[in-house]
Amino acid sequence: MSEKDLAKKIVELVGGEGNIVSVRHCATRLRIVVADKEKIDTKNVEALDKVKGSFFNSGQYQIILGTGLVNRVYDEVVKITGEPETGETGGKKENVVYGNRFQRAIRMFSDVFVPIIPVLVATGLFMGLRGLLTQEAVLSVFGLTPDNIPQSLLTFTQILTDTAFAFLPALVCWSTFRNFGGSPVIGIVLGLMLVSPSLPSAYAVGAGEAEPLVFFGLIKVAGYQGSVLPAFVTGIITAKFEKWLRKHVPDAIDLIVTPFITLLVGIVLALFGIGPVLHYVENGVLWLVEHLLFLPMGIGGFLYGCFGQLLGIFGIHHILNFLEISMLAQDGWNYLNPIGTCGNVAQAGAVLAVAIKAVSNKTKQVAYPSCLSALLGITEPAVFGVNLKFVKPFIMSMIGGGVGGFLASILHLRATGMSITGIPGTLLYLNEQLPLYLLVNVISFAVAFGLTWFFGFNKNMEN
């Protein structure tokens, strides 16, 4: 079945074009908000070729397709629904609200941060590649040492690894405007203003190499390089303000007045109002999370490796995107990735044990490919198709993830990027950490497999 045919069938089985309010996608799932979820034919959706499973969470019907395929199917679905790329829904949007306020807030985080993740994944891979190429053993192959690397080469690698995070507020503002109905180009410019070369760099101020600007003798202002929360909240408020302006400014002067007032209000709000406050809040949240992860004796790693797997079930795992982006922007390291990876690999271990022990061919047909998907970082087929269905395998995977997370914490593992785990995740550890990364994941896999084999699954559970 081609991507075009698959998209047509999905639209048909979720109630038709008229039942679709909006369509988004993340790295692996097509995420559809519908007007009436009773019209969704879940059984036949999951029976479609190339569909690995589906579930309804946080007000969205989420169809698991896998990386790459989900992008192509999304493009075909959008051609059918006519939903533009700007984040608007082509006038079809209805007043449909699913989930409580917290779930809707998490979905909002997801809609804003998921589109910029591919760029950050690429940046993380550039960081890993630079770490590999600048190791003494690799440099010696080219007759170089760490002390005589050409400056031009170092500058080139810095362009690859530093640009996305240096201009992160521009990416965040662009995506926020896009999702809240503002003009994305205004969002980009507003974000660029937050990291304008005219402002003292946040990195330079943090290192004591520059002093912030002082306004009104009280407010200290510096750039927001690597900052997320100020750009996010400023983007929401300013996008909504722009929409309000367009309803009240006469059409004859809209082109001139609306962008001017929007940018002026947005930058004043960001630099002198909520920006400084939210910057402190962001730093406080990061401080708290990192201290929880670094609890003595690996306790934090065990707890996150174990219970962090529940976040995906409740649809709130996308809040981690904000934390990971902030960590990478602050000091270039992601402390959540190695622990979270252990949980994903543990799911693979548990589902493989089920696949081998299962009597039902149907269970085997789902479980074997789910193991491979989980090892590649796509755990939804394993979680929703097998482990959670039988309950005990999921519990065993939690224990396996906890053991791996404990070891990752003890060994101080940290990634150079985000959003790829398992086998592809090795690209984020192309340095002296690689053997340790492989070790903790093998242990996570083995523990989950062994516990599931002996205690977590038997053929009677298939009845």
Side-chain angles (χ1 to χ4, degrees), residues 439-460:
L439 173 65
V440 298
N441 281 285
V442 167
I443 291 175
S444 298
F445 184 95
V447 170
F449 179 91
L451 290 175
T452 304
W453 182 273
F454 290 108
F455 309 107
F457 181 79
N458 59 68
K459 61 183 180 180
N460 296 327

Side-chain angles (χ1 to χ4, degrees), residues 23-32 58 60 62 66-68 70-71 74 85 105-122 168 171-176 178-180 228 232 315-325 380 418-420:
V23 184
R24 295 287 184 274
H25 74 89
C26 58
T28 61
R29 283 164 284 163
L30 190 68
R31 300 147 64 92
I32 305 174
S58 296
Q60 294 174 320
Q62 306 189 22
T67 55
V70 69
N71 300 74
Y74 168 79
E85 189 66 18
I106 295 299
R107 190 168 73 235
M108 177 181 67
F109 264 96
S110 169
D111 290 342
V112 169
F113 288 111
V114 164
I116 67 177
I117 286 177
V119 174
L120 302 181
V121 170
L168 186 58
L171 299 178
V172 174
C173 277
W174 161 77
S175 187
T176 305
R178 175 177 173 271
N179 279 280
F180 284 86
V228 176
F232 176 63
I316 58 176
H317 58 296
H318 286 293
I319 198 169
L320 299 177
N321 294 337
F322 158 70
L323 295 172
E324 291 181 281
I325 291 170
E380 289 91 345
M418 60 181 290
S419 292
I420 53 175

Side-chain angles (χ1 to χ4, degrees), residues 261-278:
I261 297 179
T262 300
L263 286 171
L264 179 61
V265 170
I267 193 62
V268 169
L269 182 68
L271 294 184
F272 306 127
I274 62 174
V277 175
L278 291 174

Side-chain angles (χ1 to χ4, degrees), residues 15-237:
E17 181 183 343
N19 194 42
I20 295 176
V21 176
S22 66
V23 184
R24 295 287 184 274
H25 74 89
C26 58
T28 61
R29 283 164 284 163
L30 190 68
R31 300 147 64 92
I32 305 174
V33 175
V34 296
D36 182 2
K37 66 180 180 181
E38 299 301 323
K39 293 182 179 180
I40 299 174
D41 188 348
T42 303
K43 182 178 179 181
N44 283 317
V45 168
E46 294 183 345
L48 290 173
D49 183 35
K50 300 180 183 178
V51 171
K52 298 179 174 66
S54 69
F55 58 98
F56 197 92
N57 205 341
S58 296
Q60 294 174 320
Y61 182 54
Q62 306 189 22
I63 302 172
I64 306 165
L65 296 171
T67 55
L69 177 62
V70 69
N71 300 74
R72 298 191 296 274
V73 173
Y74 168 79
D75 290 340
E76 295 297 334
V77 170
V78 167
K79 290 178 183 177
I80 298 171
T81 62
E83 185 180 0
E85 189 66 18
T86 59
E88 297 284 357
T89 55
K92 297 190 306 175
K93 195 165 187 176
E94 302 175 31
N95 188 23
V96 179
V97 178
Y98 293 114
N100 55 39
R101 289 185 177 181
F102 179 70
Q103 290 174 319
R104 296 199 298 272
I106 295 299
R107 190 168 73 235
M108 177 181 67
F109 264 96
S110 169
D111 290 342
V112 169
F113 288 111
V114 164
I116 67 177
I117 286 177
V119 174
L120 302 181
V121 170
T123 299
L125 297 182
F126 287 138
M127 289 179 175
L129 185 61
R130 181 176 66 178
L132 174 65
L133 294 177
T134 54
Q135 291 185 48
E136 189 168 356
V138 176
L139 288 173
S140 64
V141 175
F142 302 97
L144 299 173
T145 68
D147 296 325
N148 67 356
I149 303 176
Q151 184 59 45
S152 56
L153 177 61
L154 288 176
T155 301
F156 175 70
T157 61
Q158 287 173 340
I159 292 172
L160 293 173
T161 60
D162 297 357
T163 301
F165 289 109
F167 296 98
L168 186 58
L171 299 178
V172 174
C173 277
W174 161 77
S175 187
T176 305
F177 267 68
R178 175 177 173 271
N179 279 280
F180 284 86
S183 302
V185 68
I186 294 180
I188 291 174
V189 174
L190 179 59
L192 290 173
M193 286 180 173
L194 296 178
V195 290
S196 169
S198 299
L199 292 171
S201 166
Y203 300 133
V205 172
E209 299 170 357
E211 292 293 327
L213 301 179
V214 179
F215 290 85
F216 315 116
L218 178 64
I219 303 175
K220 295 183 178 180
V221 174
Y224 286 90
Q225 286 83 0
S227 193
V228 176
L229 198 56
F232 176 63
V233 176
T234 300
I236 294 175
I237 295 173

Side-chain angles (χ1 to χ4, degrees), residues 331-408:
D331 59 12
W333 297 108
N334 181 349
Y335 305 103
L336 288 168
N337 181 273
I339 301 173
T341 292
C342 292
N344 291 353
V345 171
Q347 292 289 344
V351 80
L352 180 60
V354 173
I356 296 173
K357 292 191 71 176
V359 175
S360 166
N361 284 330
K362 183 178 180 180
T363 300
K364 288 180 178 291
Q365 288 171 359
V366 174
Y368 274 119
S370 294
C371 174
L372 177 60
S373 294
L375 287 174
L376 296 174
I378 305 168
T379 58
E380 289 91 345
V383 172
F384 294 101
V386 181
N387 293 344
L388 199 58
K389 175 182 176 182
F390 297 118
V391 182
K392 283 187 177 180
F394 186 81
I395 295 174
M396 301 310 165
S397 70
M398 289 176 64
I399 297 173
V403 172
F406 162 79
L407 292 173

